[in-house]
Amino acid sequence: MSRIVYVNGDFVTEDEAKISVFDRGFLFADGIYEVSSILEGRLIDNAAHLARLKRSADELKLDLPMSTDDIEKAMLELLEKNGVHEGALYLQVTRGAADRDFGFPVDAKPSLVMFTQEKNLINSPAAEKGIAVISVDDIRWGRRDIKTVQLLAPVLAKQAAVEAGANDAWLVEEGFVTEGSSNNAYIVKDGVIITRHLSNSILHGITRAAVLKLVEQEGLKLEERPFTMQEAYEADEAFVTSATTFVWPVVKIDDAVMSNGAPGEISMKLRKLYIEEALKR
Ligand code: PDD
């Protein structure tokens, strides 16, 4: 069955969808995106995703083609048309199509595309078994707080992980972990959860914010600060968070095996709590 996708105001089958070769997303990665998870046919934390989309747009002086309220209406319509029960909705806004020139075009209309992906988010093998990560240099640009479609560095990091027989990569800059290739990274040592503080160096994860709220509610100890790979190797457990993983335990970091190769207790507790909370809303 062909999916229905959204392209600039139209709902069309995926083989009918068209975007210009002059689109600046294609030519310059001049665009931003969001990924919202879907559980029981509902978008999770969508208001926060739309608020971050607006912030990313403002940071790049990119006009959204319509209000975030109208974008949400289109998201819900797309969800309904595809009847997705569990998975993700991907949304991308670019500065639009114009003759190739580096500066902002004066009359281009921003492009907005969206599609859904069915995925088992709750019953995922990675969540049950945990994932292995490798460390790679963080070669991304300096504004990782803006969720741009400029994702070649994460693509190379993830591919390096696959070639090394791992599932993902943790990015390291000046000796400290910034984040995962497409998720936020955490270690746990002596009951303290450690994750990098918010700055331009990392994406301000929507799942991170929700999980840190749970950490507080549960009275768990938290340190928001940079940590080294050595600390990661010596940690009791580790995990990552994102809209498409929720909380995934990490059981191996480079050659260091975490929590005897099994998902850690705190990681699994936070995963369970996150899913319970998401299903409530
Ligand atoms: N990635 N850090 C990076 C670099 C990311 O790309 C993501 C999300 C996150 C987690 O953010 P959130 O909790 O808001 O999903 C952190 C999405 C899922 C992706 O690119 O597919």
Side-chain angles (χ1 to χ4, degrees):
M1 193 188 79
S2 175
R3 261 179 300 196
I4 303 289
V5 302
Y6 176 97
V7 184
N8 292 326
D10 297 322
F11 293 92
V12 294
T13 57
E14 58 181 88
D15 47 325
E16 286 170 330
K18 283 202 186 92
I19 247 336
S20 167
V21 294
F22 294 102
D23 192 276
R24 290 175 63 94
F26 180 59
L27 297 178
F28 297 112
D30 187 359
I32 54 177
Y33 76 108
E34 281 296 328
V35 181
S36 296
S37 59
I38 303 162
L39 285 181
E40 296 187 341
R42 285 181 300 112
L43 293 165
I44 305 303
D45 274 340
N46 204 42
H49 283 286
L50 287 170
R52 187 173 62 189
L53 180 76
K54 179 77 175 81
R55 178 183 180 275
S56 293
D58 289 348
E59 290 296 314
L60 297 182
K61 298 189 172 67
L62 197 165
D63 291 327
L64 294 179
M66 53 199 191
S67 70
T68 49
D69 281 354
D70 286 342
I71 292 177
E72 183 161 59
K73 277 184 204 143
M75 292 171 97
L76 294 172
E77 198 172 334
L78 184 68
L79 206 57
E80 205 188 306
K81 285 188 190 304
N82 287 288
V84 184
H85 184 72
E86 193 168 318
L89 191 153
Y90 177 91
L91 177 166
Q92 174 170 325
V93 182
T94 72
R95 209 178 298 276
D99 250 6
R100 186 176 183 276
D101 204 349
F102 284 74
F104 295 171
V106 275
D107 51 4
K109 245 183 105 246
S111 307
L112 169 59
V113 303
M114 296 187 223
F115 57 81
T116 53
Q117 275 180 316
E118 299 253 13
K119 229 181 215 170
N120 275 341
L121 300 182
I122 296 183
N123 295 317
S124 86
E128 274 157 40
K129 287 198 223 136
I131 60 165
V133 302
I134 59 163
S135 54
V136 303
D137 279 348
D138 193 341
I139 59 168
R140 298 174 301 164
W141 77 324
R143 290 301 307 276
R144 298 140 192 177
D145 57 310
I146 308 173
K147 198 164 172 59
T148 75
V149 294
Q150 187 194 296
L151 293 175
L152 190 52
V155 165
L156 296 178
K158 201 88 85 170
Q159 183 59 25
V162 170
E163 286 170 13
N167 308 96
D168 203 355
W170 277 12
L171 312 178
V172 180
E173 185 174 60
E174 293 170 358
F176 295 97
V177 175
T178 51
E179 57 188 329
S181 67
S182 63
N183 42 57
N184 291 117
Y186 308 72
I187 56 171
V188 184
K189 184 70 179 173
D190 298 329
V192 183
I193 297 163
I194 303 160
T195 192
R196 198 178 177 106
H197 59 287
L198 296 181
S199 70
N200 291 351
S201 300
I202 64 167
L203 185 75
H204 301 192
I206 303 303
T207 321
R208 178 187 185 279
V211 166
L212 292 195
K213 217 188 243 176
L214 295 169
V215 165
E216 197 186 342
Q217 273 170 28
E218 291 300 302
L220 296 167
K221 290 192 203 114
L222 172 72
E223 281 179 19
E224 288 180 80
R225 62 164 177 86
F227 60 87
T228 62
M229 283 310 295
Q230 195 55 40
E231 284 184 276
Y233 299 149
E234 291 166 7
D236 300 324
E237 52 181 289
F239 62 93
V240 295
T241 66
S242 77
T244 46
T245 61
F246 303 149
V247 177
W248 272 2
V250 172
V251 293
K252 196 167 173 232
I253 305 178
D254 289 332
D255 290 326
V257 174
M258 320 300 299
S259 47
N260 295 320
E265 228 171 86
I266 292 181
S267 315
M268 291 315 269
K269 179 179 178 165
L270 289 172
R271 176 175 176 81
K272 182 170 166 276
L273 290 171
Y274 178 87
I275 293 171
E276 276 170 15
E277 197 62 37
L279 290 173
K280 263 189 229 161
R281 274 175 268 149

